[in-house]
Amino acid sequence: MSETVAVAVSSPAIARPPSRAQRITDRAFVACCRGFAGLSLLLVGFIILDIALTAAPAVREQGLRFLTSRTWDPNQEAYGILPEIWGTLYTSLLALLIGGAFGIAAAIFLAEGYLAGGVFAVLKAVGIAYKPVWRDLPDRVEDLLRNLIELLAAIPSVVYGLWGLFVIIPLIRPACNWTHARLGWVPFFGTTLSGPGVLPAVVVLSIMILPTVTALSRDALVAVPGKLRMAAYGMGATRWETITAVILPTAARGLFGALVLAFGRALGETMALAMLVGNSNRISLSLFSPANTLAALLANNFPEAGPHEVRVLMYAALVLLGITLLVNVVGALVLERATAGLRGAR
Amino acid sequence: MSSDTAPSRRPQPILDNDPFAHVDFPGLEKSLRRPRTLVNALLSGLVALMTALALAPLLSVVIMLFWRGGKKLSLAVLTHLPPAPLEEGGGFANAILGTGVMVGLATLTVVPFGVLIGVFLAESPLESRLAQAVRFAAKVLTGFPSILAGVFAYGSVVLATGGFSALAGAVGLSVLMIPTVILTAEDAIRMVPARMREAALGMGATHTQTVWMVLLPTALPGILTGIMLAVARACGETAPLVFTALFSNYWITSGGRFDIMQPTASLAVLIYNFAGMPFPNQVELAWAAALVLVLLVLAANLAGQALSRRQRGLS
């Protein structure tokens, strides 16, 4: 923070140095801002500590067996979260595959100006491309598309869950059961889809992470210096030769960061999965079998848990916290270094 | 690039030492019969198709919400309490109020802290250690799973006070709101033109005066955008409420008085609870509540976007 400089002023009626009281409030305000900032760091520490301390008795009692055991039975006091860890990673990876592919495709579509170019071509064919009202239309349409994709992120998770339950599951069930009847020997299609299951959860999850992927990868693609693109075009490369050989490699770090952060989102996503994944302690490769995730386990079991089960659930929350914090920190670091790297290229 | 085409199709050189003799001219022709152009067109088409497919769910969600939720939506639904199983009619008035109370409480606590931390971040030099750490913590918190915010509120409020309450729900929501408010406030204050800040300091204003009389009023639209976005997110969050505020079929009162230490209904938890019930009336109510919730969230989002357009017009 820069120090305020008291200047000798010729006309005290217009300007005067700050009074003693003003200088004291100034110091106090600056200190207050700094204090709040420090508090926010403390808050993060407190959140982690709070979860860890409440989980501590269960960690001591259950030990590492908790991470490798497969049963969850409050009556027998036998707890294990291996199926949940498997389900969390399996659904998130599949969602990252689908959501990542579609998200990056949409980012390329937006960053390469396909839509604005198309609208401009149409306007030019009609002959009004440079007329006052129509001139802004290409940019407007592109902004609209970007906002529409961001709206996907605005729809609450629980509404996606409701939609998945009543739209996606009935829609894909016949196709899934047909696939199972024909290709049942493939492990991915090993069971029938009787309702909630991995595939509906993955479909909804990939829709939910798509806006994150698109927004962050579009930023990375737009940040590629224009002269690289111009050089590639100048050498006679087609648009896609430029994209695959120049733009994507240059933006690779940003794209990777976007995917990692989206993976973090997918790992922690709760309500849609609690409604769609089936909540069954099962480890299976099948896309159609019900499964469970850490977040869904917490959402389903916390409201009715007794004091002992609560501590065990806190242990599960701690595991989830560890996984997501790791992924998020890696993602944030990668994105930070990506922007720093591009600053050098410019 | 592709020099594998037959040399016989090249145009005859006019000069003896034609500098373009080695150029594959037909290979540069823009025609869909050339593999390069064809791949280019196919990939462009594929990307356009995938973008369109990505928007299909949005369309489907909106249509289903208006179709299934719109049927049930009426004034009665907005003013009645939730029905018991197998009971006809009913509504979710208490859930709308509960969402409002909890989001309101969370907003009131988060805004002063968030904006002042934003001021601190925008005013400190970029290489300040504390500012970097706070910014990084805020970025990590944006990706913090909402369910863990609920776990935190459970551990710090529900276990401490011994019961589910609106207060615990508000604590969970505020953890999710604070990073958005901090980061957008910082951006908005940084966007204030440097000459305005310098003019204020040059006239002998203290730092505090500059912040309160120049920076904050100028950055207000941007700060409000961040607050609206945070409110929009908080309205739709279910996971932090499901086991902190729980749910209730009644108004948020005890003994006839307004009481935030009671289990409290919210739109999001109502949708979650009713969607899984085998009673058609409850499912219809869940759809109607989803429509109301999405309209609320969209209104907050659009208000935020309109404000951010004003901020952009300024600089």
Side-chain angles (χ1 to χ4, degrees):
Chain A
M1 306 238 162
S2 64
E3 292 297 315
T4 316
V5 187
V7 193
V9 184
S10 54
S11 166
I14 297 173
R16 55 174 174 73
S19 69
R20 206 180 136 77
Q22 278 169 336
R23 224 172 294 173
I24 291 172
T25 31
D26 185 44
R27 286 278 160 75
F29 177 71
V30 171
C32 172
C33 284
R34 180 176 288 268
F36 280 164
L39 267 184
S40 76
L41 283 184
L42 280 184
L43 174 74
V44 176
F46 180 60
I47 291 174
I48 297 171
L49 204 69
D50 180 60
I51 296 178
L53 282 184
T54 332
V59 176
R60 229 172 293 129
E61 180 191 299
Q62 304 279 334
L64 286 177
R65 192 168 41 89
F66 186 62
L67 302 178
T68 53
S69 148
R70 296 176 173 218
T71 47
W72 185 280
D73 190 349
N75 298 326
Q76 308 262 330
E77 299 212 334
Y79 301 102
I81 54 166
L82 188 64
E84 281 77 18
I85 295 178
W86 161 257
T88 306
L89 293 177
Y90 192 47
T91 50
S92 300
L93 277 175
L94 287 175
L96 188 65
L97 217 62
I98 303 174
F102 278 84
I104 290 183
I108 292 175
F109 188 80
L110 280 169
E112 289 294 306
Y114 274 106
L115 194 62
V119 172
F120 180 77
V122 170
L123 289 180
K124 206 175 173 195
V126 187
I128 50 173
Y130 301 107
K131 292 271 158 46
V133 184
W134 299 96
R135 194 171 41 200
D136 301 334
L137 192 66
D139 290 337
R140 289 265 172 83
V141 174
E142 200 164 273
D143 277 351
L144 179 71
L145 179 64
R146 205 170 64 229
N147 285 338
L148 278 180
I149 289 182
E150 273 174 19
L151 272 191
L152 276 174
I155 292 177
S157 170
V158 68
V159 174
Y160 275 122
L162 186 72
W163 177 73
L165 221 47
F166 290 96
V167 178
I168 287 292
I169 291 180
L171 189 74
I172 63 173
R173 184 147 58 179
C176 293
N177 289 343
W178 184 86
T179 316
H180 168 67
R182 293 293 174 87
L183 296 166
W185 50 271
V186 180
F188 295 114
F189 310 127
T191 55
T192 55
L193 183 75
S194 54
V198 171
L199 189 61
V202 165
V203 169
V204 169
L205 199 52
S206 47
I207 296 168
M208 298 182 70
I209 63 169
L210 185 139
T212 310
V213 179
T214 302
L216 292 174
S217 359
R218 184 187 163 274
D219 288 349
L221 293 174
V222 170
V224 173
K227 59 188 178 196
L228 293 183
R229 180 194 311 261
M230 294 306 145
Y233 284 156
M235 285 169 70
T238 64
R239 187 171 354 206
W240 272 91
E241 282 162 359
T242 310
I243 293 173
T244 50
V246 177
I247 296 179
L248 289 183
T250 315
R253 231 187 232 166
L255 297 180
F256 181 67
L259 289 178
V260 174
L261 280 188
F263 186 57
R265 292 283 151 86
L267 290 173
E269 184 42 57
T270 315
M271 294 327 288
L273 286 176
M275 294 165 88
L276 292 173
V277 85
N279 306 315
S280 136
N281 271 16
R282 212 181 292 189
I283 301 181
S284 157
L285 265 182
S286 171
L287 295 175
F288 307 147
S289 102
N292 207 353
T293 70
L294 283 170
L297 175 86
L298 295 174
N300 283 318
N301 293 33
F302 245 114
E304 279 118 34
H308 183 249
E309 198 183 354
V310 160
R311 281 196 294 276
V312 179
L313 284 169
M314 284 286 183
Y315 190 0
L318 192 65
V319 174
L320 179 62
L321 178 71
I323 300 176
T324 47
L325 265 192
L326 182 74
V327 172
N328 277 330
V329 167
V330 167
L333 282 177
V334 167
L335 274 185
E336 217 153 79
R337 291 191 53 194
T339 39
L342 273 183
R343 221 169 281 147
R346 199 166 278 135
Chain B
M1 297 241 163
S2 72
S3 55
D4 51 341
T5 38
S8 60
R9 286 173 60 195
R10 276 184 203 159
Q12 285 300 311
I14 305 159
L15 302 169
D16 285 343
N17 54 347
D18 181 5
F20 301 112
H22 62 283
V23 176
D24 174 22
F25 281 106
L28 292 176
E29 179 197 12
K30 189 174 179 183
S31 150
L32 285 183
R33 260 169 307 169
R34 311 232 54 98
R36 287 179 64 198
T37 330
L38 186 66
V39 166
N40 192 48
L42 283 181
L43 283 176
S44 296
L46 182 72
V47 167
L49 184 74
M50 285 171 89
T51 311
L53 272 177
L55 285 179
L58 182 68
L59 199 68
S60 167
V61 169
V62 170
I63 290 175
M64 284 305 287
L65 279 175
F66 276 99
W67 183 49
R68 293 200 64 166
K71 258 192 320 196
K72 182 83 184 171
L73 199 62
S74 64
L75 196 63
V77 163
L78 299 178
T79 52
H80 283 75
L81 290 177
L86 294 176
E87 191 187 332
E88 282 305 304
F92 41 76
N94 62 340
I96 299 178
L97 181 71
T99 296
V101 166
M102 286 186 283
V103 173
L105 269 179
T107 311
L108 281 184
T109 39
V110 158
V111 165
F113 284 96
V115 172
L116 286 189
I117 296 173
V119 168
F120 169 76
L121 291 183
E123 292 297 285
S124 5
L126 273 173
E127 61 275 2
S128 148
R129 278 284 175 78
L130 179 61
Q132 276 177 344
V134 171
R135 202 175 292 124
F136 192 76
K139 274 184 190 157
V140 170
L141 263 191
T142 37
F144 194 66
S146 52
I147 185 88
L148 291 181
V151 172
F152 165 68
Y154 187 93
S156 60
V157 182
V158 174
L159 287 185
T161 60
F164 302 108
S165 64
L167 183 70
V171 167
L173 290 180
S174 52
V175 171
L176 294 174
M177 289 174 77
I178 201 158
T180 317
V181 176
I182 293 179
L183 294 174
T184 45
E186 185 200 349
D187 275 353
I189 295 168
R190 274 192 192 281
M191 271 168 69
V192 174
R195 54 178 187 271
M196 294 178 74
R197 176 199 326 259
E198 285 154 11
L201 290 174
M203 283 171 71
T206 62
H207 222 98
T208 314
Q209 287 167 329
T210 315
V211 167
W212 284 101
M213 295 173 179
V214 178
L215 296 183
L216 285 183
T218 320
L220 191 65
I223 294 172
L224 285 178
T225 301
I227 295 173
M228 289 319 284
L229 290 180
V231 166
R233 181 172 179 206
C235 283
E237 282 295 351
T238 319
L241 301 179
V242 113
F243 48 84
T244 52
L246 214 66
F247 188 71
S248 145
N249 274 329
Y250 307 100
W251 295 102
I252 139 176
T253 52
S254 67
R257 296 229 319 272
F258 181 76
D259 181 11
I260 58 165
M261 297 314 289
Q262 290 288 312
T264 307
S266 57
L267 280 173
V269 177
L270 178 123
I271 298 169
Y272 174 60
N273 286 349
F274 280 12
M277 286 189 180
F279 314 113
N281 187 31
Q282 261 77 353
V283 172
E284 292 303 314
L285 275 178
W287 278 102
L291 178 61
V292 172
L293 182 61
V294 166
L295 289 180
L296 269 180
V297 170
L298 285 191
N301 258 311
L302 291 181
Q305 277 180 13
L307 286 166
S308 82
R309 224 164 286 136
R310 274 184 57 192
Q311 168 101 16
R312 238 178 289 150
L314 180 135
S315 49

